[in-house]
């Protein structure tokens, strides 16, 4: 079985879970957005997620491919330096990384896009690197 995501990172992000951070990390952008807009479903869903994180971690491990690009590192880079495109450099996406750098993550719209699609992007990079590597 793959080990693509970390429970430790999941629980650290859960602390900010009322904003949906852990749900985005585990590849659940719809519920992450709902949590962001409702403060973790009025904090009730946030508390329930304390017990759901192991299952979310297992689901993410089954859904996404391992490879040279580590999901946790990419998420940390995107969370703290995303508007500068550092996570895109890490994934080998040099052109868009430069674009992100000079436009503040495409005026934050690209940053929001990456928040919803980063797991899929990493999965693609990992699958390509296994196929051609």
């Amino acid at each position: 079985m793959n080990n693509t995501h970390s429970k430790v990172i999941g629980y650290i992000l859960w602390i900010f879970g009322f904003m949906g951070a852990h749900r985005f990390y585990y590849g659940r952008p719809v519920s992450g957005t709902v949590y962001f807009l409702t403060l973790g479903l009025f904090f009730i869903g946030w508390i329930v997620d304390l017990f759901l994180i192991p299952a979310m971690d297992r689901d993410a491990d089954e859904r996404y491919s391992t490879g040279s690009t580590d999901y946790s590192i990419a998420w940390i880079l995107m969370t703290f330096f995303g508007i500068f495109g550092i996570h895109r450099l890490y994934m080998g996406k040099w052109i868009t990384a430069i674009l992100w750098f000079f436009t503040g993550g495409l005026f934050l719209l690209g940053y929001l896009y990456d928040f919803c699609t980063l797991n899929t992007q990493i999965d693609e990079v990992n699958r390509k690197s296994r196929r051609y590597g």
Side-chain angles (χ1 to χ4, degrees), residues 18-84:
F18 58 91
M19 294 173 51
H22 63 292
R23 289 196 162 259
F24 285 106
Y25 173 69
Y26 285 122
R28 297 167 181 250
V30 173
S31 61
T33 302
V34 170
Y35 272 48
F36 181 79
L37 296 173
T38 63
L39 294 175
L41 293 175
F42 310 105
F43 293 102
I44 296 167
W46 177 65
I47 292 168
V48 170
D49 277 356
L50 177 64
F51 304 101
L52 294 180
I53 284 178
M56 285 191 267
D57 183 68
R58 268 191 312 277
D59 290 346
D61 288 346
E62 290 173 5
R63 188 175 341 146
Y64 299 111
S65 300
T66 57
S68 59
T69 303
D70 183 89
Y71 291 82
S72 297
I73 291 172
W75 272 97
I76 290 167
L77 291 173
M78 204 247 340
T79 300
F80 294 105
F81 307 107
I83 62 170
F84 302 114

Side-chain angles (χ1 to χ4, degrees), residues 83-120:
I83 62 170
F84 302 114
I86 303 300
H87 64 292
R88 287 185 163 265
L89 281 175
Y90 175 67
M91 291 188 294
K93 298 181 174 192
W94 295 90
I95 294 170
T96 56
I98 292 167
L99 188 62
W100 256 236
F101 181 79
F102 286 109
T103 62
L106 282 179
F107 310 104
L108 295 179
L109 294 176
Y111 180 71
L112 293 174
Y113 170 80
D114 282 354
F115 231 88
C116 292
T117 63
L118 188 62
N119 283 313
T120 305

